[in-house]
């Protein structure tokens, strides 16, 4: 007890709050109460000796409860939370990564493997809060918000979304906003611009990384294929690449989100034709079975927002 009084008197007051008050406040926090429940041998003197570490753990726990997102994380180590740890003699801090940090690391690894992983520069800050809920898009907006809040990749019966409609009406913006919302939930996603991805796969034949790249698209919890149908696929790309990716994801109940200028029927016609093989309707139908029956389709319409942004810049 004499040692405790000596310690208390050695610390200055802070902001009008006495050190005794600071200690009492720390003793009443959930973090201290939880670790003392696990280790009843922890005494007040141990809290006093480790007060700065205790306060760090308490403050970072509060930051995590009102998490502003990975990029704006205010904690000492971004994407980590300071946790109290009892060594048997003193309270120390260990830093534990949060789910957002894990998602960020996974995204960086995918970006290393897939160059066409992207969210277009003009919609990097996409957010559901900024969506205009006009009548031509309200059903699609409600669907994608509901998807992001409830999806459980791997759960039987999981379905994706297929957004189709004219250029510039916000299909890609909504998908970028979805990627952001999923990250907030700790769910990794991968958004690829489909025409560039197939060009990248063709180039990957030279360095033998095709299988590695395909595996990334197979296994990511939520895959976003942006602007499918904007490319002309070879039979090999359609059947061995797209077909293999979709078949795996269907079997594992992993959802795919699509944007396209084509309706589902128009996309089937597009996939049936190739310059080398002519029309292969049956093979296109096989691909479409993995799209049509595992997504809910929504038409997205309205004014050309992309054109409006260009006109504002000019």
């Amino acid at each position: 007890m004499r040692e405790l009084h000596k310690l208390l008197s050695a610390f200055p007051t802070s902001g009008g709050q006495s050190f005794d008050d600071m200690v009492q406040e720390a003793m009443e926090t959930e973090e201290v109460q939880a670790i003392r429940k696990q280790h009843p041998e922890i005494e007040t003197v141990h809290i006093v000796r480790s007060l700065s570490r205790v306060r760090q753990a308490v403050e970072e726990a509060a930051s995590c409860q009102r998490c502003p997102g990975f990029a704006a994380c205010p904690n000492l180590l971004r994407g980590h939370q300071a946790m109290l740890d009892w060594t048997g003699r003193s309270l120390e801090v260990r830093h534990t990564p949060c789910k957002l940090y894990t998602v960020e690391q996974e995204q960086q690894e995918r970006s290393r493997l897939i160059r066409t992983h992207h969210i277009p520069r003009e919609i990097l800050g996409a957010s559901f809060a900024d969506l205009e809920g006009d009548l031509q898009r309200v059903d699609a907006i409600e669907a994608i918000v509901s998807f992001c809040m409830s999806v459980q990749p791997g759960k039987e019966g999981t379905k994706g979304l297929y957004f189709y409609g004219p250029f510039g009406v916000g299909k890609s913006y909504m998908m970028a906003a979805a990627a952001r919302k999923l990250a907030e939930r700790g769910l990794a996603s991968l958004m690829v611009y489909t025409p560039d991805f197939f060009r990248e796969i063709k180039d990957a034949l030279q360095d033998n990384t095709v299988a590695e790249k395909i595996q990334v698209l197979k296994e990511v919890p939520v895959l976003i294929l942006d602007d499918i149908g904007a490319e002309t696929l070879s039979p090999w790309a359609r059947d061995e690449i797209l077909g293999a990716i979709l078949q795996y994801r269907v079997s594992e109940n992993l959802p795919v989100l699509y944007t396209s200028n084509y309706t589902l029927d128009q996309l089937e016609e597009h996939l049936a034709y190739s310059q080398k093989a002519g029309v292969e309707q049956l093979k296109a139908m096989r691909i479409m079975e993995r799209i049509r029956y595992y997504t809910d389709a929504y038409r997205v319409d309205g004014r050309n927002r992309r054109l409006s942004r260009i006109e504002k810049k000019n």
Side-chain angles (χ1 to χ4, degrees), residues 13 30 56 71 96 140 143 160 167 200 252 261 276 289:
T13 58
E30 291 182 14
Q56 180 189 357
T96 304
F167 295 102
E200 180 177 341
E252 297 297 321
N261 297 127
K276 291 184 179 180
E289 280 186 358

Side-chain angles (χ1 to χ4, degrees), residues 88-140:
R89 298 184 62 183
S90 64
L91 283 167
E92 302 294 339
V93 159
R94 56 181 171 84
H95 290 89
T96 304
C98 70
K99 60 185 180 181
L100 299 188
Y101 175 84
T102 303
V103 168
E104 179 69 17
Q105 295 304 301
E106 291 173 351
Q107 298 286 47
Q108 287 184 12
E109 178 62 13
R110 293 187 185 98
S111 297
R112 183 186 69 80
L113 291 171
I114 307 293
R115 295 195 309 273
T116 44
H117 162 68
H118 86 306
I119 294 177
R121 185 178 299 276
E122 67 270 20
I123 56 174
L124 278 173
S127 168
F128 287 144
D130 298 328
L131 287 176
E132 298 175 20
D134 43 314
L135 290 176
Q136 299 98 323
R137 309 191 308 166
V138 66
D139 289 344

Side-chain angles (χ1 to χ4, degrees), residues 216-264:
V216 172
L217 270 69
K218 282 182 175 181
E219 296 180 350
V220 65
V222 179
L223 175 63
I224 304 171
L225 294 179
D226 189 30
D227 215 4
I228 190 170
E231 70 296 317
T232 299
L233 295 182
S234 67
W236 172 78
R238 178 193 62 204
D239 303 330
E240 302 302 323
I241 305 301
L242 181 60
I245 290 168
L246 297 186
Q247 180 57 39
Y248 180 91
R249 297 189 67 82
V250 165
S251 67
E252 297 297 321
N253 296 298
L254 297 174
V256 184
L257 307 179
Y258 304 84
T259 73
S260 182
N261 297 127
Y262 291 142
T263 66
L264 289 166

